[in-house]
């Protein structure tokens, strides 16, 4: 519990390497998470090699921690192993569809989060890189991922060389509903986002980008509609190339 | 770490209720997980009401723990709140596409897993119900989920009234690759699945269902191709109805 409440994304690491036995223990902790039918529809590629990290860095938009962290984990939704098993056992697999992409994405995410909590409980720091989905085809090529495998998220791991403050969260009432969902009226939204919008860091973002408000920093600067549409279409094409049918 | 390695799915609960302050603390632990751009693209509907649980039970194929557990959590991928914020701030949101479904699904899954680890660290037991995706439209109607919200997984929570053994996992080498993915050749698959196939429980499944092997129990009994295709198409239709574009 203390580990979970102490989580912050670490973007600066000591040069100290991670002992292999410790890393194995952390990855094994990942595998203790529940999965659909205990099918374990995930895998992880561990990158320690400097050259390999340098090759992956631009695919994560050159976020510096990719090269700086001693270990980069690329967590994948993986139907390939299960489908291969079925194939070699003369069993008629039907897992190349949208439902099973989502099942595998959930499996892989629970695995990833267990890894992160386990790593942090051992004094390591982590940072998720959501960029894996943006350049999934290129990452897939670099790591030689076969059909049925989707690079879902990447995680940098290492001993922290910074201690950033906790980041803000919306009030709990923003995300927790009792019995029924409650419509997000303008009044409710104003109330839920008031604190976030009033933060110094938020005001600074708005001012620096010459926007009217924080929401526009997201829509016009950080995650623009045109980019979203481009990367979404690219991702769908990749999934079709990986053998999934829609 | 100990909590993570001690995880087993709990399907039988004591009648003892969960204190509201404890549940709030556990849900808050959920919110400490990382999310895409700190956008928190998730929500959770808490079901405690007996009638409401009885209504949801058939949508989870009458798994008995839905009615028996004191709390059922329906964890949702949620773009509605963020989109509503953008709308009320005159910001041009572009998050109604496939990329952002996956971003929200990952956000919601990390949130869910933090909740589960936190719950277990407080002596509670949990069980994931993957069935939420199968009957997403009906669950959505029961919980009054608006556009942009997807019921992703459900979790039963309560004090354990059983202590089942740990379930098996594939060897770590099945899911961990160093630097590059390694093709799942027949030799590799035989080696990775040997232990699982040799388990008494696996042999029993195969015998009971009069199948040749364990893989066929999955493909012919548990998760059949025809069912997968049906539920996958149903899920895609639901997502389109929820406002997502493919």
């Amino acid at each position: 519990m203390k580990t979970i409440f102490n989580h912050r994304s670490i973007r600066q690491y000591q040069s100290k390497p991670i002992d292999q036995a410790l890393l194995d223990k952390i990855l094994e902790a990942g595998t203790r998470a529940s999965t659909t039918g205990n099918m374990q529809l995930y895998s992880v590629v561990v990158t320690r090699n400097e050259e390999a990290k340098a090759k992956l860095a631009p695919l994560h938009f050159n976020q510096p921690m990719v090269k700086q962290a001693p270990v980069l984990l690329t967590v994948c939704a993986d139907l390939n192993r299960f489908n291969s098993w079925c194939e070699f056992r003369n069993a008629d697999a039907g897992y190349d569809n949208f439902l099973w992409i989502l099942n595998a994405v959930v499996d892989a995410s629970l695995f990833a989060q267990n890894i992160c909590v386990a790593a942090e409980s051992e004094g390591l720091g982590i940072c998720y890189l959501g960029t894996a989905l943006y350049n999934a085809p290129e990452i897939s090529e670099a790591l030689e991922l076969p059909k049925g495998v989707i690079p879902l998220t990447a995680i940098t791991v290492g001993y922290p060389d910074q201690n950033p403050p906790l980041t803000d969260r919306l009030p709990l009432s923003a995300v927790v509903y009792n019995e029924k969902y409650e419509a997000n009226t303008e009044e409710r939204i104003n109330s839920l986002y008031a604190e976030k919008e009033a933060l110094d860091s938020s005001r600074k973002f708005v001012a620096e980008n010459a926007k009217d408000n924080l929401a526009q920093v997201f829509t016009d600067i950080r995650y623009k509609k045109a980019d979203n549409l481009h990367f979404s279409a690219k991702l769908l094409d990749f999934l079709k190339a990986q053998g999934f049918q829609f």
Side-chain angles (χ1 to χ4, degrees), chain A:
Chain A
M1 194 69 120
K2 201 179 146 199
T3 301
I4 286 177
F5 274 96
N6 199 37
H7 164 69
R8 45 263 284 162
S9 295
I10 297 298
R11 295 181 169 85
Q12 230 170 284
Y13 298 95
Q14 299 171 36
S15 58
K16 184 179 172 185
I18 303 175
D19 177 67
Q20 186 62 45
L22 176 62
L23 186 62
D24 285 347
K25 188 178 167 200
I26 287 164
L27 297 174
E28 198 188 337
T31 69
R32 297 317 307 173
S34 293
T35 60
T36 308
N38 199 17
M39 289 159 77
Q40 297 185 250
L41 302 175
Y42 55 74
S43 55
V44 59
V45 182
V46 180
T47 306
R48 285 187 186 262
N49 181 280
E50 296 298 328
E51 246 175 84
K53 285 195 280 175
K55 196 174 162 187
L56 288 168
L59 304 179
H60 293 292
F61 303 107
N62 290 311
Q63 293 177 86
M65 57 275 197
V66 173
K67 284 205 271 188
Q68 211 232 336
V71 168
L72 176 74
L73 303 175
T74 305
V75 175
C76 304
D78 187 338
L79 273 311
N80 183 284
R81 186 183 53 250
F82 199 86
N83 284 339
S84 300
W85 182 49
C86 291
E87 190 190 326
F88 296 129
R89 295 297 178 267
N90 198 27
D92 188 22
Y95 308 115
D96 55 350
N97 48 61
F98 183 63
L99 174 67
W100 284 87
I101 291 177
L102 287 200
N103 283 338
V105 166
V106 172
D107 278 13
S109 301
L110 305 188
F111 168 68
Q113 185 61 8
N114 255 17
I115 288 171
C116 290
V117 174
E120 290 177 335
S121 80
E122 294 286 329
L124 291 160
I126 65 98
C127 187
Y128 277 99
L129 309 176
T131 38
L133 284 175
Y134 290 75
N135 289 315
E138 295 85 351
I139 291 170
S140 178
E141 203 190 332
L143 304 178
E144 299 179 7
L145 305 182
K147 280 203 172 191
V149 182
I150 308 163
L152 184 66
T153 187
I155 305 167
T156 51
V157 193
Y159 291 93
D161 198 26
Q162 62 174 176
N163 187 20
L166 286 181
T167 47
D168 68 286
R169 292 293 184 270
L170 296 172
L172 196 56
S173 60
V175 304
V176 177
Y177 297 92
N178 287 306
E179 303 297 337
K180 305 267 183 192
Y181 200 96
E182 190 190 331
N184 287 307
T185 60
E186 186 162 4
E187 197 186 344
R188 178 172 148 85
I189 290 291
N190 286 345
S191 152
L192 296 178
Y193 282 83
E195 201 180 321
K196 189 181 187 81
E197 292 175 319
L199 292 173
D200 283 347
S201 56
S202 299
R203 290 173 184 279
K204 207 177 139 206
F205 269 138
V206 173
E208 278 175 1
N209 291 292
K211 289 291 154 192
D212 292 341
N213 56 58
L214 187 63
Q216 291 180 1
V217 176
F218 279 92
T219 58
D220 299 356
I221 311 285
R222 295 189 65 185
Y223 305 103
K224 288 186 273 196
K225 187 184 270 190
D227 292 346
N228 295 336
L229 292 174
H230 166 74
F231 286 113
S232 189
K234 179 179 171 182
L235 182 59
L236 265 176
D237 284 346
F238 168 71
L239 291 177
K240 288 172 189 163
Q242 287 300 77
F244 293 101
Q245 277 156 25
F246 288 85

